[in-house]
Amino acid sequence: MKKILIGFKRIAKEYVDLLIFFVLIMIVDISVRTIAHLGIGKLPIVFDFLFCCILSIPIVLLNKKIRIFIEFIIVLFLSVYGFSQSLHFSFFSSFFSIRKITVIGELTNVFNEVFTKLNFKFVIFMIPIFIYFLYIILNATRKKDYSIGKLHKLVLVVTLIICIVLCSVVIRVNINVGIETENWLSDGYLLESFHNNVRFYDRFGIVEYIFKDLQMTLNQKTGEKPTNEERITIEKYISENNKHEANYMTNAFQDKNLVLVLAESLSNNAISEELTPTLYKMKEKGIYFDNYYAPIYQSATGDSEFISLTSMIPSVDYGTTSYTFYNNYYPNSLAKLFSDVGYSSNSYHSYITNFYNRELFHASLGFSTFYDESKLGIERNEYFIDGFNWHNDDILFNRTIANTNYKEGPFFDFVITSSGHMPYVEERDEIFLNLEKIENSSYNNVSKETKYYLSTQMNLDKGLEQLITDLNEIKQLDNTIIIIFGDHYPYGLESAEAIDEIIGQSNYEKYKVPFIIYDPSTEYECVISKLGSTFDIYPTICNLFGLDSSNYFVAGNDLFSDEEGIVPFMDRSILSKDFFFDSSLNSMTVLSDDYTENSELEYINKVNCMFNIGQLILRKNYYENR
């Protein structure tokens, strides 16, 4: 017995690095969970422990120095990875995928934004690196007073194998086996499909997330043609779900010009008669949708563009839409549909042409020209910093109308604003001049960051004022419809005070943003409370302008129709008028007395099918190969 105890003692002393390694991986995982406000369940710990045991079997047979080096590299990698995932979560409330690597290039253009999200809590990811580095130093100075034989290593390997078996049994017991479509809420389906990255991380932990992400990335295929069976499935879905009946607003704006404005980070609380009088007038005199949401997908603004122009599900299971699928054929886009009926269609943005791969992607979406800052002739001043300063929107709108060919027929201009972009700091010289007006207004008591944010939206307002002025000068104002929508809520706000003052909510309500249809020739003075989202812009415009989208996949509904609206989020959460289903937490919030479990299940299955068909259409480039 004494020899056995001595043997176990020697194993413990020789392989104490394994114990430290196990603990540090748990610390990284828990750190990510803490920042992302996820729970600490037993299943993720079991998955992490299983990985450590599997990895330990080959490395226990190695020289100790090599083993420690491998462990340190893994700890270093996981710490950096955990930090990156936490930072991404702070921006987008989701975790990134290796398949989203295409968007990393955008961080080099807006790198200054990253620093606005960094704070002291991220230091936690330095702790595992520091602890293991300290162990390496102490181990190097400690003299070995014992020996390890093959029997000791065999005992350790057998122990690890037993642990692997036990972990596998625990995982098997705790995961639902069913992975069929109708059981897509089960852990089994989640583990197989990886369809919700936040819930996947929450249920299975950092190591399993990495391995599954890598597996899905390696198995990812693009460029395939749809099979006959897939083509039939898609066609059946479109015929059953894309049914539109004429209503009181059908063809209301036929043959009129359209300026569709994607307003960067515009919030309902940024619209006021005092600070943004043009926006306020459009809201009061136009058609204002007060129950409209902008769900965030992989690339917030980029995907909002795609959704508004096509009502398609952007890439969720694959790489970023504008990079992975820029070469797809999109005959259903608004630009193509308007061009088919004689409109000129162009897009405008006062930043560089390759950001979100816009020049190539917008060409595929049917725009004749994508005008970036260079084509618009907008020059940077000597103090301009990428990802920090942004050109004022009055210049953007002025150059938009200057490049609009209105003399040869109706036009469709898609304008992507930039003034409202983060960061919201006083040092941005393009918003500094607005601060005095805010200080002398009824908003003088709000937080500093709120003042900076409001100042950016005041520049948007000046841009819309410039737009109206220029349209009037070319005698096209009364013949032009202006539609404005927020691309996403202002997630760039940092302080608790500003978040409370501008966003207000931490649940699904934070995604509520403005959607305004303004006809300068008519005072509608109408508020519509029907539930809507970015997906509904496309079918609504098609109805208003008499565009035929009947043969295409459409995820949204015409907001003037009698169809009930739903808001599908990237993680397949669902907002309806009766409930909000949070798929990451697998929880239900009942919102009306009309809620029933049957209606909940109906909507959940509908959205699941919508996502599956939508991703299939993208991956197989269905429209080019139908």
Side-chain angles (χ1 to χ4, degrees):
M1 178 61 72
K2 186 177 181 181
K3 287 185 178 181
I4 294 175
L5 292 175
I6 292 174
F8 277 111
K9 185 177 179 181
R10 288 179 177 178
I11 293 173
K13 290 177 68 176
E14 174 67 15
Y15 293 103
V16 67
D17 57 285
L18 284 180
L19 177 61
I20 296 173
F21 175 63
F22 281 31
V23 171
L24 294 183
I25 288 179
M26 304 295 179
I27 290 176
V28 173
D29 196 349
I30 291 171
S31 299
V32 176
R33 292 172 174 281
T34 301
I35 292 176
H37 305 293
L38 301 177
I40 304 174
K42 64 179 180 180
L43 204 54
I45 295 175
V46 173
F47 269 104
D48 291 344
F49 188 74
L50 176 62
F51 160 77
C52 292
C53 291
I54 293 173
L55 180 66
S56 297
I57 290 178
I59 68 173
V60 296
L61 305 176
L62 299 174
N63 176 278
K64 187 171 185 178
K65 289 183 178 180
I66 297 176
R67 183 175 75 240
I68 290 176
F69 175 76
I70 293 173
E71 291 168 353
F72 177 71
I73 292 299
I74 293 173
V75 170
L76 178 63
F77 167 77
L78 288 177
S79 297
V80 173
Y81 180 83
F83 164 79
S84 303
Q85 286 287 20
S86 299
L87 188 60
H88 187 276
F89 192 92
S90 297
F91 271 100
F92 303 114
S93 299
S94 68
F95 298 116
F96 65 77
S97 163
I98 300 173
R99 292 167 289 168
K100 195 186 173 184
I101 200 70
T102 47
V103 83
I104 297 299
E106 307 308 332
L107 293 179
T108 62
N109 293 310
V110 291
F111 193 70
N112 293 285
E113 292 182 21
V114 174
F115 290 104
T116 65
K117 288 292 182 179
L118 292 176
N119 53 50
F120 187 74
K121 65 185 178 184
F122 288 101
V123 175
I124 194 170
F125 293 103
M126 293 296 295
I127 294 175
I129 300 172
F130 174 76
I131 290 176
Y132 209 88
F133 189 71
L134 182 62
Y135 168 76
I136 291 174
I137 294 174
L138 294 175
N139 183 73
T141 59
R142 185 169 61 88
K143 292 183 179 181
K144 187 174 179 180
D145 57 356
Y146 57 89
S147 61
I148 290 291
K150 292 182 179 180
L151 181 60
H152 296 102
K153 291 183 179 182
L154 178 62
V155 170
L156 181 57
V157 168
V158 171
T159 302
L160 290 170
I161 291 174
I162 293 173
C163 290
I164 290 171
V165 173
L166 292 175
C167 288
S168 300
V169 171
V170 171
I171 291 171
R172 182 72 175 179
V173 169
N174 282 273
I175 292 181
N176 295 325
V177 178
I179 59 172
E180 311 85 55
T181 302
E182 53 267 33
N183 291 327
W184 70 282
L185 294 178
S186 71
D187 282 342
Y189 182 78
L190 178 65
L191 187 61
E192 180 71 18
S193 66
F194 198 54
H195 70 272
N196 182 324
N197 62 16
V198 175
R199 189 170 164 215
F200 191 100
Y201 191 104
D202 182 40
R203 294 296 296 152
F204 308 131
I206 187 170
V207 176
E208 184 62 22
Y209 184 97
I210 292 172
F211 276 108
K212 188 64 179 182
D213 188 18
L214 183 60
Q215 177 193 344
M216 297 292 283
T217 301
L218 294 175
N219 291 337
Q220 176 176 313
K221 297 179 181 179
T222 57
E224 298 177 283
K225 293 184 178 181
T227 64
N228 287 333
E229 184 179 353
E230 289 170 337
R231 191 175 286 108
I232 292 171
T233 300
I234 293 171
E235 290 170 355
K236 180 181 178 183
Y237 179 90
I238 292 173
S239 66
E240 292 178 351
N241 290 276
N242 189 5
K243 296 178 181 179
H244 180 265
E245 295 182 2
N247 55 59
Y248 68 101
M249 290 298 286
T250 299
N251 301 333
F253 301 147
Q254 191 168 22
D255 298 327
K256 283 199 171 189
N257 307 314
L258 171 62
V259 178
L260 179 59
V261 180
L262 179 152
E264 172 65 44
S265 300
L266 179 60
S267 165
N268 286 296
N269 288 330
I271 302 177
S272 71
E273 187 174 15
E274 196 172 5
L275 298 182
T276 54
T278 305
L279 264 170
Y280 181 80
K281 177 184 176 181
M282 291 178 165
K283 172 185 172 183
E284 294 297 310
K285 301 299 183 182
I287 304 172
Y288 172 59
F289 297 83
D290 67 352
N291 197 23
Y292 172 87
Y293 294 78
I296 294 178
Y297 281 71
Q298 283 197 61
S299 52
T301 300
D303 281 337
S304 285
E305 294 171 37
F306 178 71
I307 294 169
S308 66
L309 294 168
T310 65
S311 194
M312 293 174 65
I313 304 292
S315 177
V316 175
D317 298 334
Y318 310 101
T320 313
T321 314
S322 59
Y323 288 92
T324 306
F325 301 105
Y326 77 90
N327 209 27
N328 276 23
Y329 179 50
Y330 301 103
N332 60 320
S333 73
L334 284 180
K336 289 273 181 67
L337 295 184
F338 273 114
S339 296
D340 289 345
V341 293
Y343 280 64
S344 61
S345 299
N346 296 290
S347 54
Y348 305 82
H349 184 49
S350 55
Y351 196 43
I352 56 179
T353 188
N354 60 336
F355 193 69
Y356 281 133
N357 198 29
R358 280 192 173 109
E359 185 162 39
L360 294 176
F361 194 41
H362 281 222
S364 292
L365 289 171
F367 290 105
S368 296
T369 305
F370 169 65
Y371 289 90
D372 68 331
E373 62 178 353
S374 176
K375 287 183 178 139
L376 291 170
I378 300 175
E379 297 182 359
R380 300 182 176 189
N381 63 41
E382 59 181 308
Y383 306 108
F384 190 94
I385 302 173
D386 276 305
F388 186 84
N389 298 107
W390 303 92
H391 297 298
N392 284 340
D393 286 336
D394 56 344
I395 302 174
L396 168 64
F397 281 107
N398 179 256
R399 302 295 169 84
T400 294
I401 298 305
N403 285 278
T404 297
N405 187 7
Y406 62 92
K407 293 181 180 179
E408 296 185 6
F411 60 84
F412 167 44
D413 286 344
F414 180 51
V415 186
I416 306 161
T417 70
S418 59
S419 284
H421 212 289
M422 63 183 294
Y424 307 114
V425 293
E426 184 179 7
E427 291 76 14
R428 282 177 58 181
D429 61 288
E430 76 272 20
I431 69 171
F432 179 77
L433 295 177
N434 295 328
L435 297 178
E436 183 178 354
K437 183 175 181 179
I438 296 175
E439 292 291 350
N440 294 324
S441 73
S442 61
Y443 292 85
N444 65 318
N445 291 323
V446 298
S447 65
K448 285 185 176 181
E449 191 178 18
T450 293
K451 292 176 182 176
Y452 305 149
Y453 168 75
L454 292 174
S455 182
T456 68
Q457 300 303 335
M458 289 172 68
N459 281 348
L460 166 66
D461 195 71
K462 292 174 184 176
L464 293 170
E465 181 183 15
Q466 184 69 52
L467 172 64
I468 290 174
T469 298
D470 291 342
L471 285 170
N472 191 49
E473 285 184 0
I474 64 174
K475 296 181 172 50
Q476 291 294 318
L477 181 60
D478 287 344
N479 195 40
T480 301
I481 305 301
I482 302 172
I483 298 181
I484 306 162
F485 68 98
D487 62 337
H488 54 72
Y489 75 94
Y491 57 73
L493 292 169
E494 276 293 296
S495 68
E497 296 89 349
I499 292 172
D500 182 61
E501 291 163 347
I502 297 299
I503 300 174
Q505 301 287 337
S506 60
N507 58 13
Y508 64 88
E509 288 283 350
K510 70 182 179 183
Y511 295 98
K512 186 179 285 188
V513 297
F515 180 46
I516 301 168
I517 299 176
Y518 179 63
D519 181 356
S521 66
T522 306
E523 293 186 359
Y524 282 93
E525 298 185 4
C526 175
V527 176
I528 295 179
S529 296
K530 178 180 176 178
L531 179 65
S533 76
T534 319
F535 290 96
D536 301 320
I537 293 176
Y538 173 89
T540 301
I541 289 176
C542 287
N543 178 59
L544 291 170
F545 287 83
L547 305 176
D548 183 11
S549 62
S550 58
N551 294 321
Y552 301 114
F553 173 93
V554 178
N557 295 305
D558 169 21
L559 290 174
F560 296 104
S561 72
D562 294 329
E563 292 289 325
E564 287 190 10
I566 60 169
V567 183
F569 294 86
M570 186 178 75
D571 63 358
R572 306 194 192 195
S573 294
I574 304 167
L575 175 64
S576 78
K577 69 179 182 62
D578 298 327
F579 66 87
F580 172 65
F581 169 68
D582 188 331
S583 70
S584 293
L585 301 177
N586 198 14
S587 65
M588 178 66 61
T589 302
V590 177
L591 303 177
S592 81
D593 295 335
D594 295 330
Y595 164 80
T596 65
E597 289 188 4
N598 288 336
S599 65
E600 170 199 335
L601 184 60
E602 179 184 345
Y603 275 121
I604 288 175
N605 289 333
K606 178 180 179 180
V607 168
N608 186 44
C609 182
M610 181 196 300
F611 271 71
N612 291 340
I613 295 293
Q615 297 303 279
L616 181 62
I617 288 174
L618 271 183
R619 183 166 66 87
K620 295 297 182 80
N621 195 5
Y622 165 73
Y623 290 123
E624 184 172 66
N625 296 294
R626 68 176 176 176

